[in-house]
Amino acid sequence: MRSEVLTLALLVGFCTWAFRVFPTRADLSTLAPTGILARFLAATGPAAIATLFVASVMPWLQGGVALPMIGGIAAVLAVYAGSRSVVAATLAGAAVYGFAVWGLAFWA
């Protein structure tokens, strides 16, 4: 393995670890609600949803099957409308999308 690839993998792995661990370990009670760090941490949920949405839309835009995307979007909207939970909506959308892709590959 080239040293550049190893260095990049280690750097990305460390940043991912730090990004996930920092909010759970840090005392964030003293942060100002309008501060830059508080706004950054509050934006991670919507950023995750946007990432999953883009990941599911890209194959469709490149000529893939639209059924998994439509099912995932419908699941996100339905679960969010019913529960107002971003986490549940994200998980439901990812699950429906994944099962739809699996089902299409399995039955094709």
Side-chain angles (χ1 to χ4, degrees):
M1 180 182 296
R2 292 178 30 196
S3 63
E4 295 89 4
V5 174
L6 181 60
T7 303
L8 182 62
L10 290 173
L11 183 63
V12 169
F14 174 76
C15 290
T16 301
W17 174 83
F19 185 73
R20 291 172 188 250
V21 169
F22 173 71
T24 62
R25 300 281 189 231
D27 180 20
L28 304 176
S29 62
T30 60
L31 286 179
T34 58
I36 191 165
L37 185 58
R39 288 185 295 151
F40 172 75
L41 293 175
T44 57
I49 293 171
T51 301
L52 289 172
F53 181 74
V54 168
S56 64
V57 169
M58 287 305 291
W60 182 69
L61 293 175
Q62 296 171 351
V65 178
L67 184 62
M69 183 189 72
I70 292 169
I73 292 171
V76 167
L77 294 175
V79 171
Y80 184 75
S83 68
R84 293 290 187 222
S85 171
V86 173
V87 173
T90 303
L91 292 175
V96 169
Y97 179 80
F99 281 124
V101 169
W102 172 79
L104 288 173
F106 184 74
W107 297 106

